[in-house]
Amino acid sequence: MIDDQRWWVMYFPSKKSVIFGGLIWGGLTIGLIVAISELDWVTILIFSIILIFWGWVWFSTGYKIEEDFLVIKSGPLKAKIPIKEITKIYKTRSPVSSVALSLDRLAIVFGKNYDEVIISPVDEDKFIDELRKINSKIIVAK
């Protein structure tokens, strides 16, 4: 029997806004089509690289609870936050740049300097419940 240790990993994918995704995917695709129609090889290469990068971000953005850490991953970016340092979670629709693919977001406040990261897990309630199982002192403001 395992004594109350979290030996598994829980994964929470990011919500994906159809409008947000459509604007980015659509704009990049149209740009690539125009570049192909004009046989502009430099622009084709640039749009292809951006599309590949955006695909990496779009399909890899998610949040894991690994033991006592919240691991946030989006494309090449990765952050690891000790769950015991999380002090507050609140809903936000802030459009600031973040590791969230939707405007339906959660802000997580952590650390001694009250750092903040904005994320958008699909199942917010389960995500918060799992964090609070590890740190019951997390304040959840709705």
Side-chain angles (χ1 to χ4, degrees), residues 113-137:
N113 296 324
Y114 302 104
D115 294 319
E116 188 172 280
V117 65
I118 297 175
I119 63 172
S120 61
V122 171
D123 190 343
E124 291 177 355
D125 292 332
K126 184 173 182 182
F127 176 79
I128 292 169
D129 288 345
E130 291 300 321
L131 290 176
R132 293 194 79 221
K133 284 179 185 176
I134 298 168
N135 180 357
S136 61
K137 294 179 182 176

Side-chain angles (χ1 to χ4, degrees), residues 6 12 14 28 38 46 51 58 60 64 66 73 94 104 108 112 114-115 122 125 128 135 142:
R6 300 178 74 73
F12 296 87
S14 177
L28 290 173
E38 295 178 2
I46 291 169
L51 267 167
W58 185 259
S60 74
K64 292 180 192 175
E66 292 181 353
K73 183 155 181 7
S94 170
D104 186 13
I108 297 179
K112 293 178 182 169
Y114 302 104
D115 294 319
V122 171
D125 292 332
I128 292 169
N135 180 357
K142 300 243 176 182

Side-chain angles (χ1 to χ4, degrees), residues 22-33 47 50-52 54-55:
L23 288 172
I24 301 291
W25 282 110
L28 290 173
T29 303
I30 290 169
L32 181 61
I33 290 169
F47 271 98
I50 294 171
L51 267 167
I52 290 167
W54 175 245

